[in-house]
C-alpha cells in the first residue's frame, strides 16, 4: 500500500479505510514513512476533515503504536480527566487524589506547558525528588496502592502521536479538530481508561476561544472516545479569567495543597473541580447521582483523606514524605515577592487571560524553546478575580520575580492586561455546558 496513494485519496476528499490508516501509522512509527509524507497527510486532513469512523480508526492506530496499559489486578474503575489547557489551571492536582479517596483509580498521564497555558508536569517538577517519568512498574504500583499517580508520557506510549504532533506543530495543522481528538485520546486510551471526562476550556485564556469551537471539539472527543470503548463526557468551563488565586508552577502546587487542607478556596475552582470529579464517579458507577458523588467528595476533603492520598502519591513517586506538612520547606521561592496595585480604585471588569499566561513566560515560568529550563518559583499569588474591588489596599496580584527588571515588566503587563471600571461585570457561569 503506497503512502502517496493514501495521501492522494485524502487530498481528493475521500474517506480512508481502517486498513489504510493502520498502514500509514505503522509507517510513521517504524520510520518507513518520511516526515514530508506525514506533513502532507496532516494538511489533507486539516483541509478536508475526517469522518467519525476515520478519526476513531486514527485514534486507535496511534494508541496501538506503543504500549497499552492493562489494569487487571486493580479492583476498581480506571478513570481520568483531560484539560484543554488554561491559566492557573491546577485542577488535576486536586482531582486525582479526590477520586482516589472516593474509590476510583486515576493513572493520569499529563503534559508540560503549551503556549500560554501551564503544564501539570511542570508543577510537579517543582517538588524535589518527584519522578514525573517513573518506570511503568512504579507507575502501576502507585496507582494500585495509592489510587492515583500523575506522570508524563513514557517513551513508548503512543509514540506515533509524538512524531505526528511535532510535525503538525511546524506545519500549521495544530488546530485540526480531528487531529486534536486523535492526539488527546490516543494517549488517554493507551492508559487503559474505563471512563474519561474532558475539561474543555472556553474563553480568552483558552485555545478554544469561542463556545462554537469548544462545542465542536467536545462533540468530537466524546463521539470518538465512546466509539473506542471508553465512556466519556465533556464539560465546557470558563477561561475568561485566571483560575484560582495563584499562577506559576510552585505557587499552584501550594494552592492545591491548601485546597486539599480546606484553606483559601476559590469558589469557581471548587465548583469546577467537584463537577469534573462528580461526573467521573457517576460514569464509573461508583455513585448513583451527581449530588451523592459531590457529598462524598466533600467528605473526602473534610476528613483529610484526599490530602493523605496526595501526600502518598508524592512519597511513592520520590518526593518528600512530609511535603504536605509545610510545602514551603521544599518549594522554591522567588527573591522578590511584592504586590502590584491598580492605578485607580474600582472593580476588576476584564482580564486578558491569555496575555497573563504569556507574562509567566517572561518570568521564565514557561518555555520559549522545548528544552528550556524553567524557574519554578516565579508567578503570581493572590490574583484578583472578575468583580473584585481593588484599591490602594487590595492589589491586583502579588508578583514573584527574581530580579527588579522582571518585577517591573510583570507589573507593567498586569496593569495593561487588567481593566478596572466603576461598574462591576455581570457574573458568568464557570460551568458553561456539558456534552455526552
Amino acid at each position: 500500500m503506497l503512502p502517496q496513494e493514501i495521501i492522494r485519496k485524502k487530498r481528493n476528499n475521500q474517506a480512508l479505510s481502517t486498513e489504510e490508516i493502520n498502514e500509514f501509522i505503522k509507517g510513521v512509527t517504524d520510520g518507513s514513512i518520511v516526515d514530508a509524507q506525514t506533513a502532507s497527510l496532516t494538511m489533507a486532513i486539516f483541509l478536508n476533515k475526517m469522518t467519525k469512523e476515520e478519526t476513531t480508526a486514527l485514534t486507535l492506530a496511534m494508541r496501538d503504536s506503543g504500549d497499552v496499559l492493562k489494569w487487571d489486578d486493580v479492583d476498581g474503575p480506571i478513570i481520568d480527566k483531560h484539560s484543554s489547557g488554561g491559566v492557573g489551571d491546577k485542577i488535576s492536582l486536586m482531582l486525582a487524589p479526590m477520586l482516589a479517596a472516593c474509590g476510583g483509580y486515576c493513572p493520569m498521564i499529563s503534559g508540560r506547558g503549551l503556549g500560554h497555558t501551564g503544564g501539570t508536569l511542570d508543577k510537579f517538577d517543582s517538588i524535589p525528588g518527584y519522578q514525573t517519568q517513573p518506570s511503568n512498574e512504579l507507575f502501576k504500583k502507585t496507582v494500585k496502592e495509592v489510587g492515583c499517580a500523575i506522570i508524563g508520557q513514557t517513551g513508548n506510549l503512543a509514540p506515533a502521536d509524538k512524531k505526528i504532533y511535532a510535525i503538525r506543530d511546524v506545519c500549521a495543522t495544530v488546530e485540526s479538530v480531528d487531529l486534536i481528538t486523535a492526539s488527546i485520546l490516543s494517549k488517554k486510551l493507551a492508559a487503559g481508561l474505563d471512563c474519561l471526562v474532558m475539561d474543555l476550556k472556553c474563553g480568552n485564556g483558552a485555545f478554544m476561544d469561542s463556545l462554537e469551537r469548544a462545542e465542536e471539539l467536545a462533540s468530537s472527543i466524546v463521539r470518538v472516545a465512546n466509539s473506542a470503548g471508553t465512556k466519556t463526557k465533556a464539560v465546557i468551563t470558563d477561561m475568561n479569567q485566571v483560575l484560582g488565586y495563584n499562577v506559576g508552577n510552585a505557587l499552584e502546587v501550594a494552592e492545591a495543597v491548601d485546597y486539599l487542607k480546606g484553606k483559601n478556596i476559590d469558589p469557581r475552582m471548587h465548583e469546577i473541580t467537584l463537577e469534573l470529579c462528580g461526573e467521573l464517579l457517576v460514569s464509573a458507577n461508583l455513585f448513583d447521582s451527581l449530588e451523592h458523588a459531590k457529598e462524598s467528595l466533600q467528605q473526602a476533603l473534610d476528613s483529610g483523606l484526599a490530602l493523605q492520598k496526595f501526600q502518598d502519591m508524592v512519597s511513592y513517586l520520590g518526593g518528600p514524605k512530609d511535603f504536605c506538612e509545610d510545602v514551603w520547606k521544599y518549594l522554591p521561592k522567588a527573591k522578590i515577592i511584592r504586590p502590584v496595585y491598580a492605578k485607580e480604585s474600582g472593580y476588576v471588569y476584564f482580564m486578558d487571560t491569555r496575555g497573563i499566561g504569556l507574562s509567566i513566560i517572561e518570568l521564565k515560568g514557561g518555555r520559549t524553546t522545548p528544552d528550556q529550563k524553567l524557574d519554578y518559583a516565579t508567578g503570581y499569588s493572590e490574583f484578583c478575580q472578575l468583580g473584585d474591588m481593588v484599591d490602594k489596599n487590595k492589589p491586583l496580584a502579588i508578583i514573584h520575580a527574581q530580579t527588579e527588571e522582571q518585577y517591573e515588566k510583570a507589573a507593567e503587563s498586569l496593569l495593561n492586561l487588567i481593566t478596572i471600571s466603576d461598574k462591576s461585570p455581570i457574573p458568568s457561569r464557570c460551568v458553561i455546558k456539558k456534552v455526552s
Side-chain angles (χ1 to χ4, degrees):
M1 194 175 296
L2 295 174
Q4 57 264 44
E5 288 302 298
I6 297 173
I7 296 166
R8 183 189 63 81
K9 189 174 179 181
K10 195 70 228 174
R11 182 202 67 190
N12 293 340
N13 202 17
Q14 296 174 286
L16 301 178
S17 68
T18 297
E19 183 184 8
E20 288 168 327
I21 291 170
N22 287 342
E23 193 69 21
F24 199 94
I25 294 303
K26 180 182 176 184
V28 170
T29 306
D30 65 22
S32 60
I33 286 178
V34 298
D35 289 355
Q37 292 170 317
T38 303
S40 296
L41 183 63
T42 61
M43 183 59 77
I45 292 169
F46 181 89
L47 295 173
N48 293 322
K49 301 187 177 182
M50 297 183 104
T51 64
K52 182 186 82 172
E53 290 74 21
E54 285 179 287
T55 309
T56 302
L58 178 62
T59 300
L60 294 177
M62 288 164 61
R63 177 198 70 181
D64 296 337
S65 65
D67 297 335
V68 178
L69 300 178
K70 305 293 184 185
W71 302 96
D72 300 332
D73 56 346
V74 171
D75 59 352
I78 306 300
I79 56 181
D80 193 10
K81 80 98 172 147
H82 181 82
S83 170
S84 59
V87 180
D89 182 8
K90 72 252 339 145
I91 286 177
S92 292
L93 281 69
M94 297 95 74
L95 174 139
M98 288 167 67
L99 293 174
C102 292
Y105 290 84
C106 184
M108 185 177 289
I109 296 169
S110 298
R112 304 201 180 279
L114 182 64
H116 68 282
T117 66
T120 297
L121 285 194
D122 296 327
K123 304 182 206 313
F124 278 102
D125 277 338
S126 69
I127 302 175
Y130 189 100
Q131 298 178 57
T132 53
Q133 300 286 342
S135 65
N136 277 353
E137 292 72 25
L138 178 56
F139 177 44
K140 296 186 79 170
K141 177 184 179 182
T142 305
V143 172
K144 182 179 178 181
E145 297 184 10
V146 177
C148 61
I150 302 177
I151 68 162
Q153 185 177 357
T154 61
N156 203 38
L157 193 75
D161 172 62
K162 283 186 177 181
K163 288 190 175 184
I164 293 171
Y165 188 88
I167 291 167
R168 287 168 56 213
D169 193 32
V170 296
C171 292
T173 56
V174 169
E175 296 89 348
S176 163
V177 166
D178 303 312
L179 294 174
I180 292 171
T181 298
S183 178
I184 290 171
L185 291 180
S186 61
K187 295 188 285 286
K188 288 298 180 183
L189 299 185
L193 302 182
D194 298 315
C195 302
L196 173 68
V197 67
M198 180 74 189
D199 179 10
L200 243 170
K201 304 296 185 187
C202 177
N204 68 53
F207 286 112
M208 299 296 168
D209 55 359
S210 71
L211 181 57
E212 181 181 17
R213 291 187 69 210
E215 287 179 321
E216 181 185 7
L217 180 56
S219 297
S220 176
I221 288 173
V222 168
R223 286 197 313 268
V224 171
N226 282 308
S227 295
T230 296
K231 193 174 181 181
T232 301
K233 296 179 181 178
V235 180
I236 299 175
T237 62
D238 175 67
M239 188 35 72
N240 281 308
Q241 61 178 308
V242 164
L243 188 59
Y245 299 128
N246 290 5
V247 189
N249 297 299
L251 292 164
E252 291 187 46
V253 172
E255 184 178 6
V257 173
D258 273 353
Y259 175 95
L260 293 170
K261 290 179 176 180
K263 296 166 52 181
N264 199 29
I265 293 175
D266 171 40
R268 290 176 64 254
M269 189 170 71
H270 186 52
E271 181 180 345
I272 294 171
T273 303
L274 288 183
E275 199 72 31
L276 295 169
C277 288
E279 288 289 354
L280 269 173
L281 294 173
V282 172
S283 291
N285 297 318
L286 289 170
F287 293 89
D288 58 4
S289 71
L290 194 56
E291 181 183 5
H292 289 155
K294 288 181 179 180
E295 289 173 359
S296 182
L297 289 160
Q298 190 61 56
Q299 289 171 6
L301 289 170
D302 295 342
S303 68
L305 181 57
L307 176 68
Q308 186 60 54
K309 291 290 186 182
F310 183 90
Q311 177 60 73
D312 290 345
M313 175 181 70
V314 170
S315 300
Y316 268 66
L317 292 173
K321 297 186 183 302
D322 60 345
F323 179 73
C324 292
E325 292 179 19
D326 180 7
V327 298
W328 290 115
K329 178 180 174 183
Y330 297 103
L331 293 175
K333 295 179 184 177
K335 294 176 182 176
I336 296 171
I337 302 175
R338 190 186 306 155
V340 56
Y341 295 92
K343 293 180 179 179
E344 57 186 0
S345 300
Y347 294 99
V348 178
Y349 193 80
F350 172 84
M351 63 178 70
D352 179 347
T353 315
R354 183 176 185 275
I356 293 165
L358 291 173
S359 73
I360 294 290
I361 299 176
E362 295 288 342
L363 287 166
K364 310 301 182 186
R367 294 178 180 82
T368 54
T369 59
D371 58 350
Q372 181 178 338
K373 182 175 174 56
L374 298 186
D375 187 333
Y376 299 114
T378 59
Y380 308 116
S381 60
E382 298 183 32
F383 209 95
C384 62
Q385 303 289 297
L386 294 182
D388 282 357
M389 170 62 78
V390 293
D391 52 31
K392 62 181 181 180
N393 296 312
K394 164 69 175 175
L396 296 175
I398 294 176
I399 297 172
H400 296 242
Q402 300 293 14
T403 66
E404 285 291 340
E405 183 182 3
Q406 279 188 349
Y407 171 85
E408 293 295 340
K409 193 167 187 177
E412 182 182 3
S413 292
L414 292 188
L415 289 170
N416 291 326
L417 294 167
I418 299 172
T419 302
I420 307 301
S421 172
D422 58 0
K423 298 186 299 183
S424 181
I426 298 171
S428 59
R429 291 177 297 159
C430 52
V431 176
I432 300 170
K433 188 173 183 179
K434 297 181 184 180
V435 178
S436 59

